[in-house]
Amino acid sequence: AVVSTQSTGTASTDKSDDKISKEIKIPNSNAGMVIGKKAAVINEIRNFSNCKVLIAKDSEVADDLRVIQITGTPRDVHLADYLITAVQQMPRDLSQAIAR
């Protein structure tokens, strides 16, 4: 469901401590799944990946896509990106159960 990705920063090796930022776009209809009840899902992704994850506000949605900016080490950013993609592929009732 990722439409475009844009990476900034330097990533020389996987073990690099350099911070990078990656922008991914998700369908606006999936934003609720990714955020979760009381932000439980996105907070879990933030904690697990050690990344700063910023999700565009409702008013910033363009072309029915919502931008998510992930900042962290290359390895952590990759993990956060993977987790965001995985959450979107879960059945809705399962992702809601996790958020409880």
Side-chain angles (χ1 to χ4, degrees):
V2 175
V3 175
S4 69
T5 58
Q6 181 181 25
S7 295
T8 55
T10 55
S12 49
T13 66
D14 232 12
K15 296 176 183 165
S16 171
D17 286 332
D18 292 342
K19 300 276 189 206
I20 63 163
S21 286
K22 180 176 186 178
E23 218 175 66
I24 62 172
K25 294 180 182 180
I26 64 166
N28 193 41
S29 56
N30 289 354
M33 292 173 75
V34 172
I35 296 168
K37 263 190 192 163
K38 298 183 181 175
V41 174
I42 196 62
N43 285 335
E44 195 65 30
I45 291 171
R46 286 175 177 136
N47 292 336
F48 195 73
S49 68
N50 292 319
C51 284
K52 183 176 179 182
V53 182
L54 300 174
I55 302 176
K57 294 179 175 67
D58 248 347
S59 58
E60 300 168 339
V61 173
D63 297 326
D64 204 37
L65 294 172
R66 196 175 292 221
V67 174
I68 299 178
Q69 184 171 0
I70 308 166
T71 306
T73 64
R75 187 178 193 154
D76 291 344
V77 167
H78 180 75
L79 176 60
D81 186 1
Y82 173 81
L83 292 170
I84 289 166
T85 302
V87 166
Q88 293 177 80
Q89 293 171 353
M90 293 161 100
R92 284 192 185 270
D93 53 349
L94 183 60
S95 66
Q96 289 165 0
I98 290 170
R100 285 188 191 139

